[in-house]
């Protein structure tokens, strides 16, 4: 199996996850989670979003969270923005990168950001100018890239022309988001085989949701095509409040465990990451969908039941 030596994880739990929590997570808890993720060695964190506080009241403390976190040199702290107003707020708050949001489908874009795709791309032109003036990279995420909960299929031709517009605006990276877990591995491979050669120099990120248990298979399919950047949420938190049927992202500790088991380097300390997930479970007050937090790593072994040890045959070859 062809796999990369190293993969870069971007943790999105404090944004994609906390945005959909029914209760407002206190600012100091958000800061604490970001600090613990930093200490666990997570190289990129999408800390929050600078959106309208009425649209996503759960993240209305974006400035305070950015101001409160302890930043480790080398860790990239990004935020999600939908428009120029959000970009200006993000730059003032000192983000290292701007992640923009736009949907591949008109219906989801209207539901999510109250704009047509054309209106959104106009706003993203202004975002690009703000990012470039501030010297921060712009990564453009495309929601519903593999299917829309309102419209169904998203034609790859349409996706390609949208990406071409974003690359023209100055996107250094493109994030393909499977907002409601509609993608399957074969589809991911087909789409990436088509897109990657057409946009040389672009950093591709796959943003998966595990709504239909296809997130890790989709990551594996993308890795086979050379993608090395993946978004994930601690504990498997996550979901878009404006997409019916949305549920959590691929769980960060489950993905990191899978990658490490295959010998792929992430730079993340899995034990510390699992401890962060336990802390997040306390904060949200319920168990999260992650598996590793329950099962432990695949290297875990258990003591034998009574009476078995004496009956074990000697191992051939010692
Ligand atoms: N942050 C804070 N305020 C903002 C803002 C931002 N990023 N963008 C716009 N506003 C303010 C404007 O200043 C204006 O304020 P005013 O009425 O005091 O003049 C008001 O919001 C309306 O501006 P408008 O451009 O018409 O925005 P809108 O009401 O059409 O909303 C968005 C558009 C994009 C701001 C809103 O839909 C949004 O924030 N969506 C976020 C969706 C999201 O986060 N989804 C989950 C992630 S995938
Ligand atoms: Zn998402």
């Amino acid at each position: 199996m062809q796999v990369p030596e190293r993969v870069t994880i971007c943790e999105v739990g404090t944004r994609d996850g906390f945005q959909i929590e029914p209760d407002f997570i206190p600012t100091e808890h958000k800061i604490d989670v970001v600090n613990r993720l930093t200490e666990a060695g997570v190289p990129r964190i999408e800390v929050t979003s600078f959106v309208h506080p009425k649209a996503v009241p759960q993240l209305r403390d974006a400035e305070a969270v950015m101001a409160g976190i302890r930043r480790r040199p080398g860790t990239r702290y990004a935020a999600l923005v939908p428009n120029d107003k959000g970009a200006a707020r993000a730059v003032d708050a000192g983000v290292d990168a701007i992640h923009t949001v736009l949907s591949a489908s008109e219906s989801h874009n209207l539901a999510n950001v109250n704009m047509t795709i054309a209106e959104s791309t106009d706003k993203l032109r202004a975002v690009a100018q703000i990012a470039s003036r501030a010297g921060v990279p712009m990564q453009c995420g495309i929601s519903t890239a593999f299917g829309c909960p309102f419209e169904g299929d998203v034609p790859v031709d349409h996706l390609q022309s949208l990406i071409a517009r974003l690359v023209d605006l100055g996107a250094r990276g493109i994030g393909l988001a499977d907002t409601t877990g509609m993608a399957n591995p074969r589809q991911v491979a087909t789409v990436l085989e088509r897109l990657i050669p057409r946009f040389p120099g672009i950093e591709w990120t796959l943003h998966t949701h595990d709504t239909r248990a296809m997130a890790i298979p989709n990551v594996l399919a993308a890795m086979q095509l050379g993608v090395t950047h993946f978004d994930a949420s601690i504990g498997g938190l996550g979901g878009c409040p404006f997409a019916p049927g949305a549920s959590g992202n691929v769980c960060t500790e489950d993905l990191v465990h899978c990658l490490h088991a295959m010998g792929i380097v992430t730079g993340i300390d899995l034990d510390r990451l699992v401890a962060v997930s336990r802390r997040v479970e306390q904060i949200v007050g319920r168990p999260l969908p992650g598996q590793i937090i329950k099962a432990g790593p695949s290297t875990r072994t258990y003591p034998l039941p009574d009476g078995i040890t004496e009956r074990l045959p000697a191992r051939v070859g010692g």
Side-chain angles (χ1 to χ4, degrees):
M1 188 178 185
Q2 281 253 309
V3 291
E5 269 172 41
R6 203 184 168 92
V7 151
T8 303
I9 299 286
C10 179
E11 170 62 44
V12 298
T14 54
R15 195 281 300 168
D16 208 325
F18 289 170
Q19 75 180 6
I20 201 174
E21 280 302 308
D23 297 326
F24 179 78
I25 311 259
T27 308
E28 62 271 22
H29 286 346
K30 291 174 176 145
I31 293 170
D32 180 44
V33 172
V34 173
N35 289 345
R36 287 170 193 251
L37 289 164
T38 299
E39 284 157 21
V42 178
R44 293 187 179 184
I45 304 175
E46 192 174 276
V47 176
T48 184
S49 64
F50 291 90
V51 299
H52 197 293
K54 284 212 182 93
V56 184
Q58 291 91 333
L59 302 184
R60 61 181 183 263
D61 56 357
E63 273 85 359
V65 174
M66 278 303 300
I69 58 175
R70 267 193 315 276
R71 291 167 76 145
R72 185 165 94 165
T75 308
R76 185 167 110 163
Y77 300 91
L80 184 97
V81 312
N83 58 13
D84 45 344
K85 171 125 192 199
R89 289 175 59 204
V91 163
D92 285 347
V95 297
D96 298 319
I98 282 180
H99 293 176
T100 66
V101 55
L102 159 78
S103 307
S105 54
E106 292 286 0
S107 347
H108 185 258
N109 207 57
L110 281 165
N112 196 36
V113 293
N114 195 29
M115 289 182 270
T116 63
I117 292 175
E119 287 164 348
S120 262
T121 42
D122 275 350
K123 293 279 185 194
L124 296 189
R125 184 165 297 112
V127 170
Q129 281 161 6
I130 293 168
S132 139
R133 242 181 280 132
V136 300
M138 176 174 79
Q139 174 181 314
C140 293
I142 304 182
S143 303
T144 65
F146 299 95
C148 166
F150 305 111
E151 293 178 22
D153 287 350
V154 168
V156 68
D157 283 341
H158 169 69
L159 198 54
Q160 187 181 324
S161 67
L162 198 52
I163 294 168
R165 262 182 275 167
L166 297 172
V167 170
D168 271 352
L169 292 181
R172 294 207 210 148
I174 296 290
L176 296 177
D178 183 23
T179 307
T180 55
M182 292 171 70
N184 67 67
R186 191 169 187 179
Q187 177 191 8
V188 168
T190 307
V191 168
L192 291 173
E193 265 164 7
R194 162 83 172 268
L195 295 178
I196 292 176
R198 285 177 167 79
F199 300 99
I202 287 296
E203 182 187 277
W204 297 91
T205 298
L206 188 70
H207 175 100
T208 54
H209 282 263
D210 205 30
T211 315
R212 296 179 175 84
M214 291 193 277
I216 288 189
N218 287 336
V219 168
L220 298 181
M223 270 196 330
Q224 301 260 290
L225 285 155
V227 174
T228 55
H229 291 75
F230 298 97
D231 288 351
S233 272
I234 190 80
L237 289 170
C240 174
F242 308 101
S247 67
N249 293 93
V250 65
C251 166
T252 313
E253 63 270 23
D254 289 0
L255 178 59
V256 167
H257 170 269
C258 173
L259 296 171
H260 288 186
M262 291 195 292
I264 299 166
V265 176
T266 66
I268 298 173
D269 180 329
L270 181 60
D271 291 336
R272 293 181 94 156
L273 194 63
V274 170
V276 184
S277 191
R278 286 194 206 293
R279 176 75 190 114
V280 173
E281 284 194 337
Q282 283 172 352
I283 291 172
V284 301
R286 65 171 193 282
L288 293 173
Q291 301 289 328
I292 292 305
I293 197 170
K294 303 171 193 110
S298 59
T299 50
R300 174 189 269 186
T301 55
Y302 295 86
L304 274 169
D306 288 346
I308 298 279
T309 314
E310 310 77 79
R311 295 176 52 209
L312 278 179
R315 261 205 200 181
V316 181

